[in-house]
Amino acid sequence: MNLHGVWAIYRFEMARALRTLWQSLVAPVLTTSLYFIVFGGAIGSRMQTVDGVGYGSFIVPGLIMLSLLTQSVGNASIGIYFPKFTGTIFELLSAPVSAMEMVLGYVGAAATKSVVLGVIILATSAFFVPIRVLHPGAMVAFLLLTAIAFSLFGFILGIWAKSFEQLNFVPMLLITPLTFLGGSFYSIDMLPPAWRTVSLFNPVVYLVSGFRWSFFGKGDVDIAVSLGVTLGFLVACLAVIAWIFKSGWRLKN
Protein backbone atom coordinates (compact mmCIF):
# COMPACT_ATOMS: atom_id res chain seq x y z
CA MET A 1 0.00 0.00 0.00
CA ASN A 2 1.20 3.50 -0.89
CA LEU A 3 1.02 5.01 2.58
CA HIS A 4 2.79 8.16 1.41
CA GLY A 5 0.01 8.77 -1.12
CA VAL A 6 -2.72 8.17 1.47
CA TRP A 7 -0.99 10.46 3.94
CA ALA A 8 -0.55 13.20 1.32
CA ILE A 9 -4.29 13.23 0.52
CA TYR A 10 -5.22 13.01 4.20
CA ARG A 11 -2.87 15.81 5.21
CA PHE A 12 -4.07 18.07 2.38
CA GLU A 13 -7.73 17.61 3.38
CA MET A 14 -6.98 18.21 7.06
CA ALA A 15 -5.02 21.35 6.16
CA ARG A 16 -8.01 22.61 4.19
CA ALA A 17 -10.18 22.18 7.30
CA LEU A 18 -7.72 24.23 9.36
CA ARG A 19 -7.87 27.01 6.77
CA THR A 20 -11.65 27.12 7.20
CA LEU A 21 -11.70 26.56 10.95
CA TRP A 22 -14.65 28.89 11.54
CA GLN A 23 -16.84 27.03 9.06
CA SER A 24 -15.55 23.60 10.07
CA LEU A 25 -15.78 23.78 13.86
CA VAL A 26 -16.88 27.09 15.34
CA ALA A 27 -20.08 27.51 13.31
CA PRO A 28 -21.45 23.99 14.09
CA VAL A 29 -20.71 24.46 17.81
CA LEU A 30 -22.55 27.79 17.85
CA THR A 31 -25.47 26.20 16.00
CA THR A 32 -25.60 23.39 18.56
CA SER A 33 -25.60 25.93 21.40
CA LEU A 34 -28.59 27.65 19.78
CA TYR A 35 -30.39 24.30 19.58
CA PHE A 36 -29.92 23.87 23.32
CA ILE A 37 -31.19 27.37 24.03
CA VAL A 38 -34.25 26.97 21.78
CA PHE A 39 -35.15 23.30 22.23
CA GLY A 40 -33.76 22.79 25.72
CA GLY A 41 -35.15 26.05 27.05
CA ALA A 42 -38.47 26.40 25.23
CA ILE A 43 -39.51 22.77 24.82
CA GLY A 44 -37.58 21.36 27.78
CA SER A 45 -39.46 23.60 30.18
CA ARG A 46 -42.72 21.95 29.06
CA MET A 47 -41.43 18.42 28.43
CA GLN A 48 -39.45 17.54 31.53
CA THR A 49 -38.42 13.96 30.67
CA VAL A 50 -38.55 11.46 27.81
CA ASP A 51 -38.31 7.80 28.84
CA GLY A 52 -37.07 8.91 32.24
CA VAL A 53 -34.29 11.09 30.77
CA GLY A 54 -34.26 14.88 31.09
CA TYR A 55 -35.21 16.41 27.75
CA GLY A 56 -32.04 18.48 27.51
CA SER A 57 -29.89 15.38 27.96
CA PHE A 58 -32.19 13.35 25.70
CA ILE A 59 -31.50 15.52 22.65
CA VAL A 60 -27.69 15.42 23.00
CA PRO A 61 -27.21 12.22 20.92
CA GLY A 62 -29.57 13.58 18.28
CA LEU A 63 -27.68 16.88 18.05
CA ILE A 64 -24.35 15.09 17.74
CA MET A 65 -25.77 12.79 15.07
CA LEU A 66 -27.27 15.73 13.17
CA SER A 67 -23.88 17.45 12.99
CA LEU A 68 -22.05 14.19 12.32
CA LEU A 69 -24.19 13.27 9.31
CA THR A 70 -24.19 16.69 7.68
CA GLN A 71 -20.48 17.31 8.27
CA SER A 72 -19.42 13.83 7.10
CA VAL A 73 -21.36 14.18 3.86
CA GLY A 74 -20.26 17.78 3.31
CA ASN A 75 -16.56 17.24 4.03
CA ALA A 76 -16.21 14.14 1.87
CA SER A 77 -18.29 15.44 -1.04
CA ILE A 78 -16.45 18.76 -1.39
CA GLY A 79 -13.12 16.96 -0.95
CA ILE A 80 -13.53 14.84 -4.10
CA TYR A 81 -15.71 17.30 -6.02
CA PHE A 82 -13.15 20.11 -5.96
CA PRO A 83 -10.51 18.12 -7.93
CA LYS A 84 -13.24 17.34 -10.49
CA PHE A 85 -14.18 21.02 -10.68
CA THR A 86 -10.58 22.19 -11.17
CA GLY A 87 -9.61 19.30 -13.46
CA THR A 88 -6.87 17.98 -11.18
CA ILE A 89 -8.80 14.72 -10.77
CA PHE A 90 -6.99 13.38 -13.86
CA GLU A 91 -3.62 13.96 -12.25
CA LEU A 92 -4.87 12.12 -9.19
CA LEU A 93 -6.17 9.21 -11.28
CA SER A 94 -2.85 8.93 -13.13
CA ALA A 95 -0.79 9.09 -9.93
CA PRO A 96 0.59 5.87 -8.37
CA VAL A 97 -2.33 5.79 -5.93
CA SER A 98 -4.97 3.05 -6.08
CA ALA A 99 -8.70 3.59 -5.74
CA MET A 100 -8.63 2.15 -2.22
CA GLU A 101 -5.81 4.47 -1.19
CA MET A 102 -7.63 7.48 -2.63
CA VAL A 103 -10.79 6.57 -0.71
CA LEU A 104 -8.79 6.03 2.48
CA GLY A 105 -7.26 9.49 2.19
CA TYR A 106 -10.43 11.44 1.43
CA VAL A 107 -12.86 9.45 3.57
CA GLY A 108 -10.38 9.14 6.42
CA ALA A 109 -9.93 12.91 6.57
CA ALA A 110 -13.68 13.59 6.35
CA ALA A 111 -14.45 11.04 9.07
CA THR A 112 -11.69 12.42 11.31
CA LYS A 113 -13.06 15.96 11.06
CA SER A 114 -16.58 14.73 11.79
CA VAL A 115 -15.54 12.69 14.82
CA VAL A 116 -13.55 15.61 16.24
CA LEU A 117 -16.59 17.83 15.77
CA GLY A 118 -18.81 15.24 17.47
CA VAL A 119 -16.48 15.10 20.49
CA ILE A 120 -16.40 18.92 20.68
CA ILE A 121 -20.20 19.09 20.57
CA LEU A 122 -20.39 16.44 23.30
CA ALA A 123 -18.03 18.52 25.45
CA THR A 124 -20.06 21.67 24.69
CA SER A 125 -23.26 19.87 25.73
CA ALA A 126 -21.83 19.29 29.19
CA PHE A 127 -22.02 23.06 29.80
CA PHE A 128 -25.79 22.98 29.27
CA VAL A 129 -27.04 19.64 30.61
CA PRO A 130 -25.74 16.71 32.68
CA ILE A 131 -24.21 14.03 30.45
CA ARG A 132 -23.72 10.36 31.20
CA VAL A 133 -22.59 7.59 28.86
CA LEU A 134 -23.56 4.10 30.02
CA HIS A 135 -21.83 2.28 27.15
CA PRO A 136 -18.77 4.30 26.05
CA GLY A 137 -17.53 1.48 23.80
CA ALA A 138 -20.79 1.42 21.89
CA MET A 139 -20.79 5.21 21.68
CA VAL A 140 -17.32 5.26 20.09
CA ALA A 141 -18.29 2.44 17.73
CA PHE A 142 -21.43 4.21 16.50
CA LEU A 143 -19.54 7.50 16.24
CA LEU A 144 -16.84 5.95 14.05
CA LEU A 145 -19.14 3.75 11.96
CA THR A 146 -21.57 6.58 11.25
CA ALA A 147 -18.78 9.03 10.37
CA ILE A 148 -17.15 6.52 8.01
CA ALA A 149 -20.42 5.39 6.41
CA PHE A 150 -21.66 8.90 5.67
CA SER A 151 -18.22 10.06 4.57
CA LEU A 152 -18.36 7.24 2.02
CA PHE A 153 -21.82 8.43 1.02
CA GLY A 154 -20.49 11.98 0.69
CA PHE A 155 -17.65 10.68 -1.48
CA ILE A 156 -20.25 9.12 -3.81
CA LEU A 157 -22.21 12.36 -3.81
CA GLY A 158 -19.10 14.36 -4.73
CA ILE A 159 -18.45 12.09 -7.71
CA TRP A 160 -22.10 12.22 -8.81
CA ALA A 161 -22.51 15.99 -8.58
CA LYS A 162 -21.93 18.06 -11.73
CA SER A 163 -22.36 21.43 -10.03
CA PHE A 164 -22.25 23.06 -6.61
CA GLU A 165 -26.06 23.17 -6.70
CA GLN A 166 -26.23 19.39 -7.00
CA LEU A 167 -23.57 19.08 -4.31
CA ASN A 168 -25.80 20.92 -1.82
CA PHE A 169 -29.05 19.36 -3.02
CA VAL A 170 -28.83 16.03 -1.18
CA PRO A 171 -27.63 17.35 2.21
CA MET A 172 -30.23 20.14 2.28
CA LEU A 173 -33.24 18.26 0.93
CA LEU A 174 -32.51 14.71 2.07
CA ILE A 175 -29.99 14.32 4.92
CA THR A 176 -31.15 17.21 7.13
CA PRO A 177 -34.92 16.45 6.84
CA LEU A 178 -34.34 12.74 7.47
CA THR A 179 -32.29 13.60 10.56
CA PHE A 180 -34.96 15.92 11.95
CA LEU A 181 -37.61 13.25 11.26
CA GLY A 182 -35.39 10.47 12.60
CA GLY A 183 -36.06 11.01 16.30
CA SER A 184 -33.24 13.46 16.95
CA PHE A 185 -35.44 15.65 19.17
CA TYR A 186 -38.12 13.16 20.17
CA SER A 187 -38.80 9.47 20.61
CA ILE A 188 -40.69 7.85 17.75
CA ASP A 189 -42.68 5.99 20.43
CA MET A 190 -44.40 9.35 21.02
CA LEU A 191 -45.86 9.22 17.50
CA PRO A 192 -49.20 7.64 16.55
CA PRO A 193 -48.79 3.97 15.52
CA ALA A 194 -49.15 4.70 11.80
CA TRP A 195 -46.49 7.42 11.80
CA ARG A 196 -44.19 5.31 13.95
CA THR A 197 -44.38 2.57 11.31
CA VAL A 198 -43.54 5.11 8.60
CA SER A 199 -40.59 6.37 10.67
CA LEU A 200 -39.08 2.89 10.72
CA PHE A 201 -38.38 3.27 6.99
CA ASN A 202 -36.11 6.21 7.81
CA PRO A 203 -32.55 4.83 8.15
CA VAL A 204 -31.51 7.74 10.36
CA VAL A 205 -33.89 6.44 13.06
CA TYR A 206 -31.62 3.44 13.56
CA LEU A 207 -28.48 5.56 13.76
CA VAL A 208 -29.94 7.97 16.31
CA SER A 209 -31.54 5.15 18.31
CA GLY A 210 -28.32 3.14 18.53
CA PHE A 211 -26.29 6.20 19.47
CA ARG A 212 -28.84 7.23 22.11
CA TRP A 213 -28.80 3.67 23.53
CA SER A 214 -25.06 4.03 24.13
CA PHE A 215 -25.82 7.05 26.35
CA PHE A 216 -28.90 5.98 28.27
CA GLY A 217 -29.36 2.26 27.62
CA LYS A 218 -32.66 3.05 25.87
CA GLY A 219 -33.52 3.33 22.20
CA ASP A 220 -36.47 3.33 19.85
CA VAL A 221 -35.31 0.11 18.15
CA ASP A 222 -33.19 -2.85 19.21
CA ILE A 223 -29.47 -2.09 19.41
CA ALA A 224 -28.59 -5.10 17.23
CA VAL A 225 -30.90 -3.83 14.48
CA SER A 226 -29.37 -0.35 14.71
CA LEU A 227 -25.88 -1.77 14.38
CA GLY A 228 -26.94 -4.00 11.50
CA VAL A 229 -28.47 -1.12 9.54
CA THR A 230 -25.37 1.03 10.09
CA LEU A 231 -23.03 -1.71 8.90
CA GLY A 232 -25.32 -2.52 5.97
CA PHE A 233 -25.27 1.10 4.80
CA LEU A 234 -21.47 1.21 5.09
CA VAL A 235 -21.08 -1.97 3.02
CA ALA A 236 -23.53 -0.68 0.39
CA CYS A 237 -21.52 2.54 0.03
CA LEU A 238 -18.30 0.56 -0.35
CA ALA A 239 -19.91 -1.56 -3.08
CA VAL A 240 -21.05 1.55 -4.98
CA ILE A 241 -17.59 3.14 -4.76
CA ALA A 242 -15.96 -0.08 -5.99
CA TRP A 243 -18.29 -0.04 -9.02
CA ILE A 244 -17.57 3.65 -9.68
CA PHE A 245 -13.82 3.11 -9.88
CA LYS A 246 -14.24 -0.07 -11.90
CA SER A 247 -16.49 1.59 -14.47
CA GLY A 248 -15.00 5.10 -14.32
CA TRP A 249 -18.48 6.62 -13.98
CA ARG A 250 -18.33 10.42 -13.61
CA LEU A 251 -14.54 10.19 -13.19
CA LYS A 252 -13.03 9.53 -16.61
CA ASN A 253 -15.67 11.39 -18.61
Side-chain angles (χ1 to χ4, degrees):
M1 178 179 289
N2 185 356
L3 295 179
H4 292 289
V6 175
W7 174 245
I9 296 173
Y10 180 90
R11 185 176 59 182
F12 177 82
E13 287 299 301
M14 294 302 294
R16 183 171 60 83
L18 293 177
R19 291 195 299 269
T20 58
L21 191 62
W22 178 269
Q23 178 183 353
S24 301
L25 291 178
V26 179
V29 170
L30 290 177
T31 302
T32 302
S33 300
L34 289 175
Y35 277 125
F36 273 111
I37 294 172
V38 174
F39 284 90
I43 300 177
S45 61
R46 294 170 174 80
M47 187 186 301
Q48 297 298 322
T49 61
V50 179
D51 293 334
V53 179
Y55 184 73
S57 301
F58 179 83
I59 65 174
V60 169
L63 286 174
I64 296 175
M65 195 59 65
L66 173 62
S67 298
L68 196 70
L69 299 187
T70 54
Q71 291 297 314
S72 295
V73 172
N75 289 329
S77 60
I78 193 64
I80 190 61
Y81 175 80
F82 198 72
K84 286 179 53 186
F85 178 74
T86 59
T88 56
I89 187 68
F90 299 107
E91 298 178 5
L92 190 60
L93 291 172
S94 61
V97 179
S98 68
M100 181 183 68
E101 292 160 354
M102 190 186 304
V103 172
L104 279 175
Y106 281 110
V107 172
T112 299
K113 288 182 278 188
S114 300
V115 170
V116 169
L117 177 61
V119 172
I120 292 174
I121 291 176
L122 178 62
T124 303
S125 303
F127 289 99
F128 294 92
V129 294
I131 301 294
R132 73 176 192 271
V133 182
L134 294 181
H135 307 283
M139 185 201 73
V140 173
F142 268 100
L143 197 67
L144 292 175
L145 287 174
T146 303
I148 294 171
F150 276 82
S151 293
L152 289 169
F153 180 74
F155 190 85
I156 296 170
L157 175 62
I159 294 174
W160 165 80
K162 291 184 177 180
S163 64
F164 283 102
E165 289 76 14
Q166 288 186 344
L167 197 66
N168 295 321
F169 175 81
V170 173
M172 289 180 61
L173 298 182
L174 182 63
I175 301 298
T176 301
L178 286 179
T179 305
F180 274 98
L181 297 173
S184 298
F185 302 105
Y186 60 90
S187 170
I188 65 171
D189 290 334
M190 301 167 64
L191 299 174
W195 283 110
R196 186 184 188 282
T197 301
V198 172
S199 296
L200 292 176
F201 289 94
N202 181 354
V204 177
V205 167
Y206 301 91
L207 304 177
V208 174
S209 176
F211 196 55
R212 182 169 286 136
W213 178 89
S214 69
F215 279 75
F216 312 119
K218 300 176 181 179
D220 294 325
V221 295
D222 186 82
I223 181 63
V225 177
S226 296
L227 182 60
V229 170
T230 306
L231 288 173
F233 182 72
L234 189 153
V235 172
C237 288
L238 284 174
V240 172
I241 290 175
W243 172 81
I244 287 174
F245 278 99
K246 184 177 180 179
S247 64
W249 180 76
R250 295 285 176 94
L251 284 176
K252 298 180 181 179
N253 55 353

